[in-house]
Amino acid sequence: RWRPWQQPDSPLCLPAPWDAPCCRDAWASVFRVEARADSVNASLASDAAVQLAPPGTHTRLHLPYGPRPVHCAILQLDGSAAYSLYAPTSANALCLGGDEGPLFDASQSMVDPWSSSCAPPPSMQAILSSGDVMLVPEGWWVASLAINASLAVWRPWVMPQQVPRFFEFHTCAAREMDAFRSRTASSTEVAELAERLRKQPGSPWCKDVLRVGRPGALVPGQACHAVLHLESFSPEGRGLQSSRLGPLPAPLVVMLGCGGPEPFRHVGELVRTMCVGELARAAVRTEPKDPRSPDLLIFELELLAVIAISKDRAAPAPPPRLPGGWSWFGDPENWLGAPAGHEPVDKVAEAKQIEHQQQQRQPHQTTLQPPQPQPQPHPQQPPQAPNPPQAPQPPQQTEGPQ
């Protein structure tokens, strides 16, 4: 607490260094940048992702948040996992060779640090246990391997020196999206396509092929994953959404015939008529809840790849059932169980037993309390007739003011 500018025996009374006029503006700018970083981190909390991984789960080598100028904070809540990290200068991490098909996302790599023979040595390795936190710097590639049942949270994090670049990056992405939404895509051709669909009341969609793909359309009913770029437009040709633009541009993966609900049901039917490499523009009917919304939309689709789901794999065994209806995704012998005082209890069987006991008591209660007979009038006394209505009496006059 030594304050040489406030010595009691000194005739000079100097201000604190951070209160001096020459330093006040500099300190204010520092505090202002830190406050903006806190505000940005609070807004990025919604981008946090929870990773629940069974033992042996691999996470592909990737850039956690693509080209965004942010760090990645990994919070290991439970279990343990091994992480391999590659510096941005490691060109081998961007290698696209391997047994898989091409990757259409530039923020992912086909290098597997644990099983690939051509994987270069990682720049850094770490094992996180419950309670550990690791900050992956911007531009670093990371892959993970769950040693046992792992529960972790991944979230973006911004340092004060990244705030200007963060706002510049998102401003440029928003400017590109605004330009896409303000332009009109071939309004004449779009209007003709929309009018053609309106003249076909029984058809859910119609399309024009802009670029022919490789022969071989999708087999109807075959379960597969379709990788495609999709851009949507209004009937007037005004841009709405695009998978090629935004902070994280990446193709969409649409699951077809996998038993679950398909997004854009008519779009899924349309994709099945396309070939890989085909670029098409289609008008698709919609079911708007708001009468002011358009009854159809225009889509431009580019089918990049089709990944068939192998049926040779054996069906996975059902997960073991534990008391109370609980289940676990690993070997029950490796499950550590719930903390003391939080063990699962079979409340379902107890509730069914109570309900069965209540059902058994209800018939006995009705026999022990028979309905009481209603009193009958005496036979010698005829029922009395209701009194006739009396005429209203005139109000009595009283002395004095009312």
Side-chain angles (χ1 to χ4, degrees):
R1 297 185 179 275
W2 181 60
R3 300 177 180 179
W5 60 89
Q6 292 182 356
Q7 291 297 330
D9 54 349
S10 176
L12 299 178
C13 184
L14 302 177
W18 49 82
D19 289 337
C22 59
C23 302
R24 189 178 300 142
D25 295 338
W27 280 103
S29 62
V30 171
F31 292 141
R32 189 162 49 248
V33 171
E34 291 183 352
R36 295 181 67 187
D38 294 341
S39 176
V40 171
N41 287 323
S43 65
L44 292 176
S46 58
D47 294 344
V50 178
Q51 186 186 71
L52 182 63
T57 300
H58 287 248
T59 301
R60 180 188 293 274
L61 184 64
H62 68 291
L63 290 171
Y65 298 102
R68 298 173 71 184
V70 297
H71 301 320
C72 176
I74 302 177
L75 297 82
Q76 191 73 28
L77 302 183
D78 198 359
S80 58
Y83 294 87
S84 292
L85 293 89
Y86 290 82
T89 56
S90 179
N92 293 326
L94 303 176
C95 176
L96 298 180
D99 299 332
E100 301 182 56
L103 297 179
F104 301 100
D105 190 351
S107 64
Q108 297 187 14
S109 174
M110 296 177 62
V111 173
D112 189 347
W114 289 281
S115 61
S116 180
S117 58
C118 60
S123 304
M124 183 180 297
Q125 288 183 324
I127 296 179
L128 299 187
S129 302
S130 177
D132 293 340
V133 179
M134 180 173 63
L135 187 66
V136 180
E138 172 192 355
W140 281 63
W141 298 72
V142 59
S144 65
L145 171 64
I147 300 176
N148 48 37
S150 171
L151 175 62
V153 174
W154 297 47
R155 66 151 297 170
W157 192 263
V158 172
M159 294 297 184
Q161 60 270 21
Q162 294 176 293
V163 171
R165 292 191 297 113
F166 177 85
F167 282 105
E168 181 181 359
F169 175 82
H170 282 268
T171 300
C172 293
R175 191 181 297 116
E176 292 178 355
M177 185 61 70
D178 292 340
F180 170 76
R181 292 173 179 172
S182 60
R183 73 180 177 90
T184 303
S186 306
S187 57
T188 304
E189 299 176 1
V190 168
E192 293 177 356
L193 188 64
E195 186 64 23
R196 193 198 319 167
L197 180 61
R198 290 191 176 98
K199 293 181 179 179
Q200 303 174 6
S203 177
W205 52 266
C206 62
K207 75 169 184 175
D208 291 334
V209 178
L210 306 181
R211 186 182 66 214
V212 180
R214 297 192 295 271
L218 300 181
V219 179
Q222 180 184 8
C224 61
H225 293 209
V227 185
L228 53 90
H229 273 300
L230 185 144
E231 295 181 342
S232 59
F233 302 86
S234 67
E236 296 79 19
R238 189 180 68 257
L240 299 177
Q241 295 293 337
S242 174
S243 61
R244 305 177 188 270
L245 302 174
L248 295 174
L252 303 179
V253 179
V254 181
M255 296 185 294
L256 303 176
C258 297
E262 297 177 0
F264 308 110
R265 180 171 56 90
H266 295 322
V267 175
E269 299 173 359
L270 174 63
V271 171
R272 288 191 175 277
T273 65
M274 300 178 62
C275 304
V276 176
E278 179 179 332
L279 177 64
R281 180 185 293 123
V284 181
R285 295 188 187 276
T286 60
E287 299 177 357
K289 298 181 181 180
D290 189 353
R292 295 172 296 180
S293 301
D295 58 344
L296 59 89
L297 291 175
I298 307 298
F299 293 96
E300 285 191 5
L301 304 95
E302 182 183 8
L303 186 58
L304 302 176
V306 174
I307 305 174
I309 299 178
S310 176
K311 297 184 178 181
D312 299 335
R313 299 177 182 177
R321 306 299 299 179
L322 301 176
W326 288 42
S327 63
W328 191 244
F329 45 72
D331 188 355
E333 297 180 358
N334 296 334
W335 185 47
L336 299 178
H342 298 273
E343 293 82 1
V345 181
D346 194 352
K347 294 291 185 179
V348 178
E350 181 181 353
K352 289 183 178 180
Q353 183 179 3
I354 295 176
E355 183 180 0
H356 181 66
Q357 294 175 356
Q358 292 178 351
Q359 291 177 356
Q360 289 182 343
R361 293 196 197 99
Q362 288 178 358
H364 298 289
Q365 293 177 358
T366 54
T367 54
L368 293 176
Q369 297 180 0
Q372 299 294 333
Q374 298 293 334
Q376 300 293 334
H378 198 273
Q380 297 181 359
Q381 297 179 357
Q384 298 180 0
N387 297 328
Q390 298 180 359
Q393 300 293 333
Q396 298 180 359
Q397 298 294 333
T398 58
E399 297 181 357
Q402 296 291 332

